Coordinates of all heavy atoms in Angstrom, one line a residue:
R65 N -96.2 -30.8 -82.6 CA -97.2 -31.5 -81.8 C -98.2 -30.5 -81.3 O -98.0 -29.5 -80.8 CB -96.5 -32.1 -80.6 CG -97.4 -32.9 -79.6 CD -96.7 -33.6 -78.6 NE -96.0 -34.8 -79.1 CZ -95.5 -35.7 -78.4 NH1 -95.4 -35.7 -77.1 NH2 -94.8 -36.8 -79.0
K89 N -81.8 -38.4 -83.1 CA -82.5 -39.2 -84.1 C -82.0 -38.9 -85.5 O -81.6 -39.8 -86.2 CB -84.1 -39.0 -84.1 CG -84.9 -39.9 -85.0 CD -86.3 -39.6 -85.1 CE -87.1 -39.5 -83.8 NZ -88.5 -39.6 -84.0
D136 N -96.6 -34.2 -86.1 CA -96.5 -35.0 -85.0 C -97.8 -35.3 -84.4 O -98.8 -35.0 -85.1 CB -95.4 -34.5 -83.9 CG -95.0 -35.5 -82.9 OD1 -94.6 -36.5 -83.1 OD2 -95.1 -35.2 -81.6
V137 N -97.8 -35.7 -83.1 CA -99.1 -36.0 -82.5 C -100.1 -34.9 -82.6 O -99.7 -33.7 -82.4 CB -99.0 -36.5 -81.1 CG1 -100.3 -36.7 -80.3 CG2 -98.1 -37.7 -81.0
G138 N -101.3 -35.2 -83.1 CA -102.4 -34.3 -83.2 C -102.4 -33.3 -84.4 O -103.2 -32.3 -84.5
P168 N -96.0 -39.7 -92.6 CA -94.9 -40.5 -92.4 C -95.2 -41.7 -91.6 O -94.3 -42.6 -91.5 CB -93.9 -39.6 -91.7 CG -94.8 -38.6 -90.9 CD -96.0 -38.5 -91.8
S169 N -96.4 -41.9 -91.1 CA -96.6 -42.9 -90.0 C -96.4 -44.3 -90.5 O -96.0 -45.2 -89.8 CB -97.9 -42.7 -89.2 OG -99.0 -42.7 -90.1
T172 N -92.9 -45.0 -90.3 CA -92.4 -45.2 -88.9 C -92.8 -46.6 -88.4 O -92.0 -47.3 -87.8 CB -93.1 -44.1 -88.0 OG1 -92.8 -42.8 -88.5 CG2 -92.7 -44.2 -86.6
Q201 N -99.6 -50.1 -77.1 CA -100.2 -49.0 -76.4 C -100.4 -47.9 -77.3 O -99.4 -47.2 -77.7 CB -99.4 -48.5 -75.1 CG -100.1 -47.4 -74.4 CD -99.1 -46.8 -73.4 OE1 -97.9 -46.6 -73.7 NE2 -99.6 -46.4 -72.2
G202 N -101.6 -47.6 -77.7 CA -101.9 -46.5 -78.6 C -102.0 -47.0 -80.0 O -100.9 -47.5 -80.6
V203 N -103.2 -47.0 -80.7 CA -103.3 -47.5 -82.0 C -103.9 -46.3 -82.9 O -104.8 -46.5 -83.6 CB -104.2 -48.8 -82.1 CG1 -103.4 -50.0 -81.6 CG2 -105.5 -48.6 -81.3
G204 N -103.1 -45.3 -82.8 CA -103.4 -44.0 -83.7 C -102.7 -44.3 -85.0 O -102.7 -45.4 -85.6
H205 N -102.1 -43.2 -85.5 CA -101.4 -43.3 -86.8 C -100.4 -44.5 -87.0 O -100.6 -45.4 -87.7 CB -100.7 -42.0 -87.2 CG -101.7 -40.9 -87.5 ND1 -102.2 -40.0 -86.8 CD2 -102.2 -40.6 -88.8 CE1 -103.0 -39.2 -87.4 NE2 -103.0 -39.6 -88.7
V206 N -99.5 -44.4 -86.1 CA -98.3 -45.4 -86.1 C -98.9 -46.8 -85.6 O -98.6 -47.7 -86.2 CB -97.1 -45.0 -85.4 CG1 -96.0 -46.0 -85.5 CG2 -96.6 -43.6 -85.8
G207 N -99.5 -46.7 -84.5 CA -99.9 -48.0 -83.8 C -100.8 -48.8 -84.7 O -100.6 -50.1 -84.7
S224 N -104.6 -51.2 -76.6 CA -105.4 -50.3 -75.9 C -105.3 -49.0 -76.5 O -104.3 -48.6 -77.1 CB -105.0 -50.3 -74.4 OG -104.2 -49.3 -74.1
D225 N -106.3 -48.2 -76.3 CA -106.4 -46.8 -76.7 C -107.4 -46.0 -75.9 O -108.4 -46.6 -75.6 CB -106.6 -46.7 -78.2 CG -106.0 -45.3 -78.8 OD1 -106.6 -44.3 -78.4 OD2 -105.1 -45.4 -79.6
L226 N -107.1 -44.7 -75.7 CA -108.2 -44.0 -75.0 C -109.2 -43.5 -76.1 O -110.3 -43.3 -75.7 CB -107.5 -42.6 -74.6 CG -106.3 -42.7 -73.6 CD1 -105.8 -41.4 -73.3 CD2 -106.8 -43.4 -72.3
N227 N -109.0 -43.6 -77.3 CA -109.9 -43.2 -78.4 C -110.6 -44.6 -78.8 O -110.1 -45.5 -79.4 CB -109.1 -42.6 -79.6 CG -109.9 -42.3 -80.8 OD1 -110.8 -43.1 -81.1 ND2 -109.8 -41.0 -81.2
N230 N -110.5 -45.6 -82.6 CA -109.1 -46.2 -83.0 C -109.1 -47.6 -82.5 O -108.6 -48.5 -83.2 CB -108.0 -45.4 -82.4 CG -107.8 -44.0 -83.2 OD1 -108.5 -43.8 -84.2 ND2 -106.9 -43.2 -82.7
P245 N -106.7 -49.0 -70.7 CA -105.4 -48.3 -70.8 C -104.5 -48.6 -69.7 O -103.3 -48.6 -69.9 CB -105.9 -46.8 -70.9 CG -107.2 -46.9 -71.4 CD -108.0 -48.2 -71.0
C259 N -96.8 -46.9 -78.2 CA -97.0 -46.0 -79.5 C -98.0 -44.9 -79.1 O -98.7 -44.5 -80.0 CB -97.6 -46.9 -80.5 SG -96.4 -48.2 -81.1
A260 N -97.9 -44.4 -77.9 CA -98.8 -43.4 -77.5 C -98.0 -42.1 -77.2 O -97.3 -41.5 -78.1 CB -99.8 -43.7 -76.4
L261 N -97.9 -41.8 -75.9 CA -97.1 -40.6 -75.5 C -95.8 -41.1 -74.7 O -95.5 -42.3 -74.6 CB -97.9 -39.7 -74.6 CG -99.0 -39.0 -75.4 CD1 -99.8 -38.1 -74.5 CD2 -98.6 -38.4 -76.6
S281 N -93.0 -47.0 -80.9 CA -92.7 -45.8 -81.7 C -92.7 -44.5 -80.9 O -92.1 -43.5 -81.3 CB -93.7 -45.5 -82.8 OG -95.0 -45.0 -82.2
A282 N -93.2 -44.5 -79.7 CA -93.4 -43.3 -78.9 C -92.0 -42.6 -78.6 O -91.0 -43.3 -78.4 CB -94.1 -43.5 -77.5
N283 N -92.0 -41.3 -78.7 CA -90.7 -40.6 -78.4 C -90.5 -40.4 -76.9 O -91.5 -40.4 -76.2 CB -90.9 -39.2 -79.0 CG -90.6 -39.2 -80.5 OD1 -89.6 -39.7 -81.0 ND2 -91.5 -38.5 -81.3
N309 N -87.8 -45.6 -84.2 CA -88.9 -44.8 -84.8 C -88.5 -43.8 -85.9 O -89.2 -43.0 -86.2 CB -89.8 -44.1 -83.7 CG -89.1 -42.9 -83.0 OD1 -88.1 -42.4 -83.5 ND2 -89.6 -42.4 -82.0
G312 N -90.1 -42.4 -89.8 CA -91.0 -41.3 -90.2 C -90.1 -40.1 -90.6 O -90.3 -39.4 -91.6
Ligands
NAD403 P1 -101.5 -40.4 -82.8 O1 -101.9 -39.2 -82.0 O2 -102.0 -40.6 -84.1 O3 -101.7 -41.8 -82.0 C1 -101.6 -41.9 -80.6 C2 -102.7 -42.7 -80.1 O4 -102.4 -43.0 -78.7 C3 -104.1 -42.0 -80.1 O5 -105.0 -42.9 -80.7 C4 -104.4 -41.8 -78.6 O6 -105.8 -41.8 -78.3 C5 -103.6 -42.9 -77.9 N1 -103.2 -42.7 -76.5 C6 -102.9 -41.6 -75.9 N2 -102.6 -41.8 -74.7 C7 -102.9 -43.1 -74.4 C8 -102.8 -44.0 -73.3 N3 -102.4 -43.6 -72.0 N4 -103.1 -45.3 -73.5 C9 -103.5 -45.7 -74.6 N5 -103.6 -45.0 -75.7 C10 -103.3 -43.7 -75.7 O7 -99.9 -40.3 -82.9 P2 -98.9 -41.1 -83.7 O8 -98.6 -40.2 -84.9 O9 -99.4 -42.5 -84.0 O10 -97.6 -41.2 -82.8 C11 -97.5 -42.1 -81.8 C12 -96.2 -41.9 -81.0 O11 -95.2 -42.2 -82.0 C13 -96.0 -40.5 -80.5 O12 -95.2 -40.6 -79.3 C14 -95.1 -39.9 -81.6 O13 -94.4 -38.7 -81.2 C15 -94.2 -41.0 -82.0 N6 -93.7 -40.9 -83.4 C16 -94.6 -40.8 -84.4 C17 -94.2 -40.7 -85.7 C18 -95.1 -40.6 -86.8 O14 -94.6 -40.9 -88.0 N7 -96.3 -40.3 -86.7 C19 -92.8 -40.8 -86.0 C20 -91.9 -41.0 -84.8 C21 -92.4 -41.0 -83.6

Side-chain angles (χ1 to χ4, degrees):
R65 176 171 291 192
K89 188 186 300 197
D136 192 49
V137 173
S169 57
T172 305
Q201 180 191 42
V203 285
H205 283 93
V206 180
S224 95
D225 202 295
L226 302 178
N227 179 311
N230 287 353
C259 296
L261 295 181
S281 75
N283 283 308
N309 74 12

